Amino acid sequence: MLLEREGVLGALADHLARADRGTGRLVFLHGEAGVGKTAVLDRFALTARTTAEVLTGWCDPLSTPRPLGPWLDVAPGLGGDVEREMARASGSPGGLSHVLRLLRTEFEARTSTVVVLEDLHWADEASLDLLCLLARRLSRCRVLVVASYRDDEIAPNRPLRVLFGHLAGVPGVYREAIELLSLPAVARLAAGRGLDVDQLYQVTGGNPFYVTEVLAAGGAGIPESVADAVAARLSRVSTAARDVAEAVAILGSPAPVPLVVRLSGQALTAADDLLSAGLLRASAGGLGFRHELARRAMLDTIPHARRASLHAQVLELLRTDPVGGEDSAVLAHHAAAAGDVGAVLVHAPAAARMAAAVGAYREAAAHLRRAVAVCSGLPPGQRHSLVEQFGQVAAVANELTDAATALRSAAELRHAAGDRLREGDDLRWLSYVLWPLGRCAEAVEIGDGAVRALDDLPPSRELAEAYVNMCRLGTLSQSGVANARRYAERTIALGRELEDPETVWEARFHLALTRFVCAEDGDPEAAWTEAEAARDGALHAGFVDAAAFMTMLMGMCSAWHRDHGRADAAYDLLERLSTDRDLLSFGAVNRAQHSYRLLQDGRWDEAAATAAAVLDHPGPPPVARVLPLAVLGLIRARRGDPEACEPLAEALAVPEPNMTLLARAFRAEAAWLEGDDERASAEAHQGLGAATGHTDPWLTGELARWVFLSGGDVPAVRAAGPVALELAGEWRSAAQRWEERGCPYDAALARLTGDVPALLQARQTFAAFGAHAAERIAAARLRARGVRSGARGPRAATRGNPHGLTTRQLEILRLVAEGLTGPQIAARLHLSPKTVDHHVGAALTVLGVHSRADAVRAVFGGNDR
């Protein structure tokens, strides 16, 4: 009996109807474990099959998922080319591109089709990447993709949460929730059972699986757990049937029937009791428990020694007579569960290679981690190689701390073995990992050690890559510009000798970009054009990783220079590379830089939302957090939010050279807005003290501005752009230049040193932005000139709100209406719970109400929106 599901079934039917008209959609169907997602999908599929083809794939609850698992399930229904390409699961990183092209062609040619992907919370990284890429291309397809997941099992570091971030705001992507059953629905299910319905509802919480398990247990009372309910049902089946249940629990759902028969030693008829009792269900893939919770409950009843023995039997069965082809991920899973070290060392590295080939680096790292944990008995060379592989894959998977530990260990092992070539390459990898961890000085030191280890050896690709690494570090730090150029020249010579175009393109890029940043040759535009040509050359030659890194640096420099056209072009290209070419790890860095770009443009709400999204991204490296923290803190400071100091302080915790200078400038502005000129000047001077003669003059000029606006003497530093005009006292020209660059807030700052009309214009700009502290400073300067500024009136954000609330108060009340608690709202908005309470209290006062519920009704009415 399917109760209270008419709404979600109707919504799915509507999505299918719209997809059938040529507007494809991706729908995430979510709810807690046991809420009935599979039952809803089964009912929907039954109806949909009357007008559409339905293809279903499953994500398996393996300790490490199989790459492209659910897509391999649906591939047979998508044509031979797609099936063959997915079955190969091979190629270089970025190998999903060909699969994507085939799928896109197939989807665009199809009539009405539904693709169901069940249990996405267990999906591997490659499956999610492919779904992300497809979601952006469904708009011209008659395809509805429905993906189910448990919303109570998405930890902050889960790849699924990353997917949601990438798809935020993408047209054609929707979410539909399956809610718990109401008390009347539970009462209807329990009718005639003689049970206390209130107690049943309290124990189960309205979870359909729990309710049906308790009812199926058939006892007079209500068991305390699902395990008790499942055990009660199993107690009524035959021993043969229980053997089958154990086999299915060990194999996972769905379990191939031949394997179930061989593992259990029972005829298939032994499963009849389990099917009729509703514990198991049959599908095209085999036998499976009706719900994963039941499978886990079944596993818990099997003694540990017997579980290990059953896994060992499965491993032997799959090795001697594989069903449906040998799958290294499945073999590695059973080998680990069986405690078979030899099998783990065979199958885990093989599974890692398959996972890495399709971009599932988290899964590849998990497999290698499992192998490294038991590799002590291997010969030294094999053990060293395994540790190296894990370190490199973990680095790509953004598991940077583990990568650094492994790579340091690998370098020490290679040093002890006298293998200078591998030692140098491991040190180069370690240096590459240390920078995003915020250990920038150590990264340079280790990178230099890599060069020393390799320089005395014959010319090699490893040496060229070590040179390129030093180019990158020198460009990033700016203090090492001379080193960057020296290594770039050496790289070009070596790269040509080795016929290695990738390293040559990178070296040419860094030579050009350092000339542009330092503005030393008098023709920065020519330097930029050369950097752009090097980046494009690398991209057209297929060196996508290198081109993405160059694009990231170009976007960063463009943002410093307030060059919105170039910044937007870099953002768009890097966003395209990070999605179309499976380089999703660049997404967080790209959006962090974009938040800074939006801040300059005066789009503060968008900037804050973008920065918060980056910070919510699971596991961004410390360096990638600095800029969004600084942006978020500065916006709060400009708006007078008392929580501004927290993110600005956190932004300084990572000593990345350029980001530290920006953070100091932002902190100087925050102090100036508070009226603390002495602290503002001190912050700016600290930033200037960390600058070098090669630091971008836009950054040093930004810091000097705050010494100047705080009443100090203009520091003798290089400055560029409109700031240089400000420091020279040419406020009118500076303001005009800022306006031309699309930076209205900066133009208003320049006018603060101007005449009365300029001050009035600056005050008006600040008011429009809700920049209350700067508005007060402008008003004070007007009063000092003898001009009475008059009553300020309500804030700009408040004037546009008929209820008289600020933007922040309205935002918090909207989250209250969605059912979030104070701590949840604080986490969502990166505020403290105390600040949230302060805003709520202020909103209640403005609205003249006494409770949050009353406030929600007053603002949003009956719809709470």
Side-chain angles (χ1 to χ4, degrees), residues 160-530:
L160 185 54
R161 193 176 292 278
V162 181
L163 174 67
F164 294 152
H166 287 308
L167 294 182
V170 173
V173 178
Y174 300 86
R175 294 197 195 190
E176 300 291 347
I178 301 181
E179 305 295 343
L180 297 169
L181 296 177
S182 66
L183 178 58
V186 172
R188 185 176 172 188
L189 289 173
R193 304 296 185 106
L195 295 174
D196 184 330
V197 173
D198 288 333
Q199 185 187 0
L200 176 62
Y201 182 73
Q202 182 180 2
V203 168
T204 63
N207 183 294
F209 174 72
Y210 296 165
V211 173
T212 53
E213 287 302 309
V214 170
L215 295 176
I222 297 175
E224 293 182 359
S225 70
V226 176
D228 291 338
V230 173
R233 297 179 74 178
L234 286 170
S235 68
R236 300 196 300 275
V237 303
S238 66
T239 301
R242 184 180 177 87
D243 290 343
V244 170
E246 285 187 348
V248 174
I250 290 291
L251 289 165
S253 301
V257 170
L259 274 181
V260 174
V261 171
R262 278 181 277 172
L263 182 61
S264 66
Q266 303 293 340
L268 186 58
T269 54
D272 289 345
D273 286 350
L274 299 168
L275 292 167
S276 60
L279 269 170
L280 295 187
R281 49 183 287 179
S283 69
L287 295 174
F289 278 85
R290 190 170 59 83
H291 198 281
E292 174 62 14
L293 292 174
R295 188 185 77 87
R296 293 182 182 180
M298 178 72 243
L299 276 178
D300 288 342
T301 69
I302 306 174
H304 177 75
R306 177 163 172 74
R307 277 206 307 273
S309 174
L310 287 170
H311 280 292
Q313 292 176 54
V314 174
L315 185 63
E316 187 60 28
L317 288 170
L318 290 173
R319 285 192 296 202
T320 57
D321 188 13
V323 176
E326 185 175 298
D327 189 320
S328 295
V330 174
L331 292 170
H333 166 75
H334 290 294
D340 188 331
V341 171
V344 168
L345 291 173
V346 170
H347 299 301
R353 287 192 295 273
M354 291 179 63
V358 293
Y361 294 110
R362 286 176 181 267
E363 287 70 34
H367 285 302
L368 288 171
R369 182 182 286 106
R370 177 181 288 153
V372 167
V374 295
C375 73
S376 59
L378 288 177
Q382 294 181 37
R383 187 169 70 251
H384 300 171
S385 179
L386 198 58
V387 174
E388 278 173 348
Q389 291 174 45
F390 170 63
Q392 293 171 12
V393 170
V396 178
N398 201 32
E399 298 174 5
L400 300 180
T401 302
D402 287 348
T405 300
L407 290 166
R408 193 182 300 276
S409 175
E412 292 170 353
L413 291 169
R414 293 298 189 186
H415 179 79
D419 188 341
R420 296 285 284 172
L421 182 67
R422 300 308 313 154
E423 177 193 358
D425 200 44
D426 289 336
L427 289 173
R428 190 264 304 179
W429 269 97
L430 177 58
S431 171
Y432 171 80
V433 166
L434 289 172
W435 187 279
L437 282 172
R439 295 154 66 178
C440 303
E442 188 180 2
V444 174
E445 180 184 351
I446 296 293
D448 188 58
V451 171
R452 289 198 306 272
L454 295 166
D455 248 344
D456 294 334
L457 302 177
S460 64
R461 164 83 177 170
E462 288 81 1
L463 178 59
E465 289 180 327
Y467 285 168
V468 167
N469 179 60
M470 294 303 289
C471 287
R472 288 181 170 186
L473 295 177
T475 304
L476 284 169
S477 68
Q478 295 196 11
S479 62
V481 164
N483 262 350
R485 292 173 178 171
R486 179 167 59 90
Y487 278 115
E489 290 164 357
R490 295 170 70 177
T491 302
I492 291 171
L494 179 58
R496 288 172 175 164
E497 179 184 349
L498 297 173
E499 297 183 348
D500 181 3
E502 181 177 5
T503 54
V504 173
W505 285 123
E506 284 217 64
R508 286 182 54 187
F509 171 83
H510 288 289
L511 272 177
L513 192 68
T514 55
R515 287 204 303 272
F516 172 78
V517 168
C518 298
E520 292 175 345
D521 63 0
D523 192 359
E525 288 305 308
W528 181 269
T529 299
E530 187 176 343

Side-chain angles (χ1 to χ4, degrees), residues 575-596:
E575 189 72 8
R576 188 166 73 250
L577 292 178
S578 69
T579 54
D580 290 357
R581 309 226 183 176
D582 315 330
L583 299 175
L584 301 180
S585 61
F586 280 90
V589 175
N590 197 31
R591 281 185 286 278
Q593 293 180 177
H594 193 54
S595 72
Y596 182 38

Side-chain angles (χ1 to χ4, degrees), residues 27-39 41-42 56-62 65-66 68-71 73 115-125 127-128 131 145-154 158-160 163-164 178 252-254 281 288-296 363:
V27 176
F28 289 109
L29 185 69
H30 62 95
E32 69 176 51
V35 80
K37 296 180 291 295
T38 297
L41 287 172
D42 286 347
T56 303
W58 295 269
C59 304
D60 304 311
L62 300 175
R66 57 191 177 115
L68 295 177
W71 293 106
D73 292 335
V115 176
V116 175
L117 305 176
E118 291 215 49
D119 295 322
L120 211 61
H121 48 277
W122 288 321
D124 65 288
E125 200 170 10
S127 293
L128 297 178
L131 182 59
V145 179
V146 184
S148 69
Y149 70 94
R150 295 180 184 173
D151 52 17
D152 57 340
E153 290 195 16
I154 310 178
R158 294 297 297 171
L160 185 54
L163 174 67
F164 294 152
I178 301 181
S253 301
R281 49 183 287 179
F289 278 85
R290 190 170 59 83
H291 198 281
E292 174 62 14
L293 292 174
R295 188 185 77 87
R296 293 182 182 180
E363 287 70 34

